[in-house]
Amino acid sequence: MLGGIAYKVGAYIYVSPECEGDWCEIARIEQIYDNGMPGNDNICLTIRWMWRPEMLTLKKKDEKLFAKNEIFWSDIIDNENGVDVIEGWQQ
């Protein structure tokens, strides 16, 4: 639970961007687990990243193939993300 919200597998979340001023990244929670470490920072997430069209390398002619707010599944899955990376979530 973070900020009074109980996140669950399958939830779409906004993840803190690496650079201040950038848009939040979008990911889906694939797994929630306890990393076995003592303390409050022991809950971790496995997340699957999603891409926006502007994150893809496209040829000029292909740019019109996508809707402005469309997102795509990535094949990138990251483990051991603390819940502190969550900025918000999509209900």
Side-chain angles (χ1 to χ4, degrees):
M1 184 167 298
L2 178 66
I5 299 171
Y7 293 94
K8 54 187 166 185
V9 171
Y12 292 89
I13 57 172
Y14 295 105
V15 179
S16 303
E18 289 184 4
C19 298
E20 189 174 324
D22 283 353
W23 289 42
C24 287
E25 302 287 344
I26 302 171
R28 185 176 81 172
I29 299 174
E30 298 289 314
Q31 181 181 22
I32 302 171
Y33 62 95
D34 186 326
N35 66 9
M37 302 296 287
N40 293 331
D41 296 333
N42 58 332
I43 302 300
C44 288
L45 307 172
T46 298
I47 57 177
R48 177 182 296 270
W49 293 102
M50 304 195 77
W51 294 334
R52 294 182 174 96
E54 60 267 19
M55 300 167 106
L56 303 173
T57 303
L58 300 172
K59 295 179 181 171
K60 191 71 171 168
K61 65 179 180 134
D62 293 333
E63 290 178 1
K64 295 181 181 173
L65 294 175
F66 307 106
K68 180 179 177 185
N69 295 324
E70 192 169 4
I71 56 175
F72 306 92
W73 288 110
S74 163
D75 58 352
I76 300 171
I77 297 175
D78 281 338
N79 296 309
E80 296 202 26
N81 295 280
V83 294
D84 59 329
V85 300
I86 299 174
E87 287 283 330
W89 69 300
Q90 179 65 43
Q91 297 183 21

